[in-house]
Amino acid sequence: MAETAYWEAIQRAHDEEMANDPMVIAMGEDIGVVGGTYKATFGLYEKYGEERVIDTPISENSYTGIGIGASMIGVRPIIEIMSINFALLALDTLINAAAKIRYMSGGRVHCPIVMRTPGGTAHQLAAQHSARLARMFMSTSGLRVVTPRSPLDAYGMLKSAVRCNDPVIIIEHERMYNMKEDIPDKEFFRPLEGAEIVRKGTDITLIGYNYSVHLCLEAAKRLESDGVSAEVLDLRSLKPLDRESIRRSVEKTHRFLIAEEDEAAVGVGSEIMAVVTEDCFYALDAQPVRIHAADVPVPFNRELEKAAIPDVDDVYQGALKVMGKI
Amino acid sequence: MKASDQKRLLREMIFYRRFEDRTFEAYMERKVGGFLHLYSGQEAVATGVLEMARPGSDYVITGYRDHVHALKAGAPAKEIMAELYGKETGSSKGRGGSMHIFDPTVNFMGGYALVGQPFPLAAGLAKGIKMKGTDQIAICFLGDGANNQGTFHETLNMASVWKLPVLFVCENNLYAIGTAIDRSTAVRDQYKRVAAYNIPASQHDGQDIDIVMEAAKKAVDHVRNGNGPYFLELMTYRNRGHSMSDAKGYRTREEEAEWAKRDPILIYSERLKKAGTISDEDIKTWEKEIDKEIEDDIVKFAEESPEPKVEDLGKYVLDDNPDPRWIGPLQS
């Protein structure tokens, strides 16, 4: 075991997969000579050279398309998009091409690309660097969307994503890159599908994904002093969604809350509400709650930004509400 | 070129024309649905360029006017027709239709409906070739309208910087859907736009297959010899509208009549007749043989093929047989 930061875990996964398969390449803005804005490809340019660790011009749609074209004939590209906002520029090749090529070719051609991108607010990066677009990718057939919450998953899921034959979007988070955790020294994989109970409890299920899992875990600790035993469920994969694990947990606790940093409308939370309503409505003993960002572009001002984004207290208060304690 | 090859090329172009005409009939009979974009009038481009390349080995990619490129690449005509009919035996198992013909067995990597999208995909195919270290090339056929997309500029830039083995063929038919090039594009000669990316480019008559082949040979050799991309602009004209719903109100009948005199099949058959290589009788015989093949073999196959099963609706969205080591689900 070694204490590993989230960015180091991603770097290690790149390194191992590139060593394992000469068809694995990394591409993106400033990922080579500079080593990546978040150091996720640090040192790889020196090790694997410019044909495999590719500094791209600032042309998101077309370099994503180049990765897709290469993937159609056996290359395994890991494409970094520096901020999820910039992924909007790549939606044509990503959604109109990568997500649809397998289907519209009758399964004859596939696009095993991995797109990694931080999707969340950091500290005062303002509206054009703070988008949270999980809900948009989650609604696209033909894509896999995963949200590793920790170094363990960041490493193990990236390795699985490289080997999987589908296009996979990995949504990371700027505030998680320096998060540390002990992970095994020996190579391992973490499956792309399946939600995970990261804290067991009996009274309420706090559902999160990406950074909001950590808000849920903190809130669960505080709820202990109120005599509330909270279970925390990390969705891990938004597409496909593990409906079974959601149902099982809600049938056990009979109450739930979904916390996300994304905006509410047509969002992950809306989808979880719908899934619970369809799958286990009668298991509910209380009205559920969605914790989400305010319906505003993310503001620059520190206090306004704070007000726009959910924090631990919001999740805690929301849980108390579901529990009928406020 | 040997007389037998000249005859074959002319016969191929006649086949493509009559194949497209027959798809038009099937469309009018409502046996083919969706959108249908025909290649009639532009045959010398795909035929001549690919004749100078290695169909079946070199990667070919194009837009939605894709039937003839797929045919010349080597995709079976039966399967293309069956795809137009939406049948399970079609090139894309009825999931793609006219605009999305795929046949990876001959390295025909698809028709795409987003104008300009194949530019980066083609460069990606070239990147894959480079990584594998083969002497294949990627060939991207697109119309002049595609050059007003950002992907044109972005991809040409990267293809040049990375010296990718990709040949861009611009089929300049003077209209982007129904908008004339002079009304939409600041520069009429598309090859001039490429100078900004340090890629060699040239413009040629796309109606005369001999001229097309001469230009294509140089372009293909340039790319295959490891010199990076090339941009080949071929001036052409589509006989029909953009798609089936198009009344061609944006073109004058005089202009169409002028271009009809420059029909690629007319130009080439006149030349071969003058040289004594073929006679009118040969053409009539071919037409009969071709029509019989299209009817008895190709259309019959499409009409008699089964529809995809409704219970297979969810197939091919993601890998249908994924490896549980990567996919899971996680056991918790």
Side-chain angles (χ1 to χ4, degrees), chain A residues 22-25 27 50-52 54-75 92-93 96-97 99 101-110 141-144 159-161 163-167 189-197 236 239-240 242 245 248, chain B residues 59 61 79 83 90-93 95-97 100-105 107-117 119-132 150-152 154-155 157-159 162 164 312-322 324-332:
Chain A
M23 284 293 134
V24 176
I25 62 172
M27 54 198 298
E50 64 179 6
E51 285 291 326
R52 292 184 67 199
I54 305 164
D55 279 317
T56 65
I58 303 171
S59 306
E60 286 84 1
N61 194 37
S62 294
Y63 74 68
T64 299
I66 288 175
I68 293 164
S71 79
M72 288 160 71
I73 59 169
V75 178
D92 176 52
T93 48
N96 281 323
I101 284 172
R102 180 194 290 278
Y103 199 84
M104 65 187 193
S105 69
R108 299 180 85 186
V109 178
H110 63 176
S141 316
L143 293 181
R144 289 183 175 277
K159 285 178 67 80
S160 294
R163 301 201 182 198
C164 158
N165 291 327
D166 302 314
F189 294 86
R190 294 274 289 168
L192 297 173
E193 287 187 15
E196 185 177 23
I197 294 168
R236 294 181 74 254
K239 190 163 186 75
D242 180 2
S245 292
R248 259 189 278 132
Chain B
Y59 290 96
I61 190 165
E79 294 179 12
E83 187 59 33
S91 312
S92 304
K93 300 198 174 77
R95 270 68 167 184
H100 309 302
I101 306 293
F102 283 83
D103 190 345
T105 65
N107 291 348
F108 182 74
M109 303 312 283
Y112 298 82
L114 276 295
V115 174
Q117 192 181 67
F119 282 126
L121 300 181
L125 294 167
K127 173 68 188 169
I129 291 167
K130 213 174 169 191
M131 291 198 62
K132 291 178 182 188
T151 48
F152 167 84
E154 294 180 355
T155 303
N157 179 52
M158 285 183 273
W162 299 334
L164 298 177
D312 287 341
L313 175 68
K315 266 175 112 171
Y316 315 128
V317 178
L318 295 174
D319 187 354
D320 292 304
N321 294 298
R325 285 177 297 172
W326 328 132
I327 302 303
L330 185 75
Q331 304 299 326
S332 61

Side-chain angles (χ1 to χ4, degrees), chain A residues 21 52 88-89 91 139 208 226 241 296 303 312:
Chain A
D21 179 356
R52 292 184 67 199
L88 288 171
L89 287 156
L91 289 190
S139 65
D226 296 284
L241 194 62
V296 297
E303 289 308 310
V312 174

Side-chain angles (χ1 to χ4, degrees), chain A residues 176-240:
Chain A
M176 292 199 296
Y177 284 119
N178 287 315
M179 204 171 262
K180 291 188 169 85
E181 184 180 37
D182 282 340
I183 69 172
D185 299 323
K186 196 169 174 289
E187 179 183 48
F188 65 95
F189 294 86
R190 294 274 289 168
L192 297 173
E193 287 187 15
E196 185 177 23
I197 294 168
V198 290
R199 185 186 204 274
K200 277 195 189 310
T202 53
D203 301 332
I204 181 171
T205 304
L206 309 180
I207 303 175
Y209 63 93
N210 193 313
Y211 189 75
S212 73
V213 176
H214 300 285
L215 302 182
C216 291
L217 285 167
E218 284 300 308
K221 274 189 215 158
R222 280 170 65 177
L223 287 163
E224 262 176 35
S225 55
D226 296 284
V228 175
S229 161
E231 177 147 302
V232 176
L233 183 70
D234 175 7
L235 293 172
R236 294 181 74 254
S237 166
L238 299 181
K239 190 163 186 75

Side-chain angles (χ1 to χ4, degrees), chain A:
Chain A
M1 298 290 265
E3 192 182 59
T4 307
Y6 194 100
W7 70 265
E8 290 173 313
I10 298 169
Q11 192 273 355
R12 178 180 154 195
H14 272 93
D15 191 5
E16 288 176 10
E17 290 307 297
M18 292 185 79
N20 173 64
D21 179 356
M23 284 293 134
V24 176
I25 62 172
M27 54 198 298
E29 293 153 5
D30 270 5
I31 69 150
V33 172
V34 172
T37 306
Y38 304 103
K39 297 194 280 186
T41 51
F42 187 77
L44 301 179
Y45 179 86
E46 291 76 11
K47 192 165 176 185
Y48 298 102
E50 64 179 6
E51 285 291 326
R52 292 184 67 199
V53 182
I54 305 164
D55 279 317
T56 65
I58 303 171
S59 306
E60 286 84 1
N61 194 37
S62 294
Y63 74 68
T64 299
I66 288 175
I68 293 164
S71 79
M72 288 160 71
I73 59 169
V75 178
R76 300 257 162 181
I78 307 171
I79 301 164
E80 176 175 296
I81 301 277
M82 199 185 278
S83 157
I84 204 166
N85 294 70
F86 312 159
L88 288 171
L89 287 156
L91 289 190
D92 176 52
T93 48
L94 185 67
I95 293 184
N96 281 323
K100 294 175 174 57
I101 284 172
R102 180 194 290 278
Y103 199 84
M104 65 187 193
S105 69
R108 299 180 85 186
V109 178
H110 63 176
C111 302
I113 61 153
V114 179
M115 177 184 276
R116 300 175 34 247
T117 185
T121 60
H123 299 287
Q124 290 194 276
L125 301 187
Q128 293 190 331
H129 278 83
S130 306
R132 293 125 299 150
L133 301 171
R135 61 193 185 283
M136 190 178 63
F137 296 118
M138 184 193 192
S139 65
T140 302
S141 316
L143 293 181
R144 289 183 175 277
V145 183
V146 298
T147 53
R149 72 166 186 279
S150 63
L152 189 85
D153 262 354
Y155 165 86
M157 290 175 97
L158 174 53
K159 285 178 67 80
S160 294
V162 170
R163 301 201 182 198
C164 158
N165 291 327
D166 302 314
V168 183
I169 313 296
I170 303 183
I171 301 179
E172 299 163 359
H173 198 293
E174 238 170 306
R175 273 180 284 158
M176 292 199 296
Y177 284 119
N178 287 315
M179 204 171 262
K180 291 188 169 85
E181 184 180 37
D182 282 340
I183 69 172
D185 299 323
K186 196 169 174 289
E187 179 183 48
F188 65 95
F189 294 86
R190 294 274 289 168
L192 297 173
E193 287 187 15
E196 185 177 23
I197 294 168
V198 290
R199 185 186 204 274
K200 277 195 189 310
T202 53
D203 301 332
I204 181 171
T205 304
L206 309 180
I207 303 175
Y209 63 93
N210 193 313
Y211 189 75
S212 73
V213 176
H214 300 285
L215 302 182
C216 291
L217 285 167
E218 284 300 308
K221 274 189 215 158
R222 280 170 65 177
L223 287 163
E224 262 176 35
S225 55
D226 296 284
V228 175
S229 161
E231 177 147 302
V232 176
L233 183 70
D234 175 7
L235 293 172
R236 294 181 74 254
S237 166
L238 299 181
K239 190 163 186 75
L241 194 62
D242 180 2
R243 295 175 73 129
E244 181 60 21
S245 292
I246 297 167
R247 183 187 61 75
R248 259 189 278 132
S249 182
V250 171
E251 281 181 348
K252 182 172 79 174
T253 61
H254 305 285
R255 291 175 178 81
F256 82 98
L257 159 159
I258 161 78
E260 60 178 324
E261 204 178 292
D262 287 37
E263 289 146 273
V266 204
V268 181
S270 326
E271 184 61 20
I272 302 302
M273 289 281 187
V275 161
V276 171
T277 306
E278 285 177 345
D279 294 357
C280 54
F281 177 74
Y282 292 105
L284 289 178
D285 283 346
Q287 197 171 305
V289 158
R290 283 187 291 173
I291 302 297
H292 53 79
D295 187 12
V296 297
V298 175
F300 168 71
N301 174 274
R302 190 182 292 268
E303 289 308 310
L304 290 180
E305 183 188 59
K306 218 169 143 242
I309 304 304
D311 58 16
V312 174
D313 196 53
D314 292 322
V315 179
Y316 171 71
Q317 298 292 339
L320 290 181
K321 193 174 163 208
V322 178
M323 296 308 298
K325 289 184 184 279
I326 49 171

Side-chain angles (χ1 to χ4, degrees), chain B residues 15-80:
Chain B
F15 178 91
Y16 301 148
R17 177 73 55 89
R18 295 180 98 80
F19 181 91
E20 292 290 66
D21 287 348
R22 187 62 184 84
T23 69
F24 176 81
E25 281 173 35
Y27 190 87
M28 298 315 279
E29 294 165 4
R30 294 178 183 272
K31 288 177 176 169
V32 170
F35 288 136
L36 186 69
H37 307 84
L38 301 181
Y39 196 62
S40 306
Q42 303 183 201
E43 291 90 345
V45 175
T47 313
V49 171
L50 292 179
E51 183 67 20
M52 293 296 107
R54 297 177 191 159
S57 168
D58 288 334
Y59 290 96
V60 177
I61 190 165
T62 187
Y64 40 77
R65 203 178 300 285
D66 59 352
H67 310 160
V68 172
H69 305 85
L71 284 166
K72 181 67 180 170
K78 278 174 157 179
E79 294 179 12
I80 295 172

